[in-house]
Amino acid sequence: MLSSIHPLGERARGNRWSVTIAAFTAGAVLGGAAVGSVLGAIGSTFAPRTDVALLVVGCLALIAGGLDLSGVRAPGPSRQVNERWIGNLRGTVYGFGFGVQLGSGISTFIVTWGVWAVLAAKLLSGSAVSGAVVGGVFGMTRTVAPLAAGWIDRPSRLTRFHTVLARLAQPVHVGAGIAIVLIGITGLVWGV
């Protein structure tokens, strides 16, 4: 679905890609920040010291990366955003709506255990503001795929994009697992 938000598709729907992707980015950052703020506020009632929180999040990230690398599927919703919004709503509306859903990290299909580690980091952040920052950064990372489609302005590029995405799916999954493990190690080092 996110590979549908590109300049070629937006032009065909009478939208400007730059406007739709700006709405998507705003939605992703705000969705992540909103969930982070709520979790941070909840966590502030019991949040451990920063060093302990870093140790816990580091351990969880190590476990998450290990589960990703071992091929264990992450639990979570089995729904994607509603692709019927595309073509029925303005680009700014579906862009923002998709962004909020993906930026929140919890309302759509979860492909990595790292999402759960990020949710724990929001909870253990110690405050609504810290949780919002963690969530906003997470939401920003969710804009990578649609931003990567920014060069698709003709059908041949769309075909090439999908071919490359299919070829890179497994290496990216492994690379993400390794990155999550490294983040976990960093959290452990900072926590001690």
Side-chain angles (χ1 to χ4, degrees):
M1 181 292 318
L2 288 179
S3 60
S4 300
I5 300 177
H6 49 73
L8 177 65
E10 290 305 292
R11 187 173 65 232
R13 289 185 284 274
N15 299 320
R16 288 194 1 230
W17 177 79
S18 60
V19 174
T20 302
I21 200 66
F24 178 88
T25 301
V29 171
L30 289 173
V35 170
S37 179
V38 169
L39 289 175
I42 292 168
S44 70
T45 63
F46 64 85
R49 294 186 334 255
T50 303
D51 57 340
V52 174
L54 283 170
L55 286 171
V56 171
V57 171
C59 286
L60 291 173
L62 278 173
I63 293 167
L67 288 169
D68 281 346
L69 291 171
S70 68
V72 177
R73 185 170 176 238
S78 59
R79 69 173 285 279
Q80 191 54 279
V81 294
N82 189 342
E83 69 274 355
R84 290 185 302 223
W85 288 9
I86 296 177
N88 291 323
L89 301 171
R90 293 176 184 251
T92 52
V93 175
Y94 64 75
F96 186 80
F98 290 171
V100 167
Q101 292 177 66
L102 289 160
S104 75
I106 55 174
S107 64
T108 60
F109 186 68
I110 296 175
V111 296
T112 173
W113 284 90
V115 171
W116 294 107
V118 170
L119 290 169
K122 294 174 189 179
L123 185 67
L124 296 171
S125 67
S127 73
V129 172
S130 296
V133 170
V134 172
V137 170
F138 173 79
M140 182 58 79
T141 67
R142 304 289 273 191
T143 66
V144 171
L147 285 171
W151 62 282
I152 300 171
D153 59 358
R154 53 184 170 269
S156 60
R157 288 185 171 184
L158 179 59
T159 302
R160 175 79 178 136
F161 183 69
H162 283 285
T163 301
V164 170
L165 280 181
R167 190 175 66 236
L168 292 177
Q170 183 60 26
V172 167
H173 185 75
V174 170
I178 291 169
I180 294 167
V181 167
L182 294 174
I183 290 167
I185 292 170
T186 302
L188 290 174
V189 169
W190 281 354
V192 291

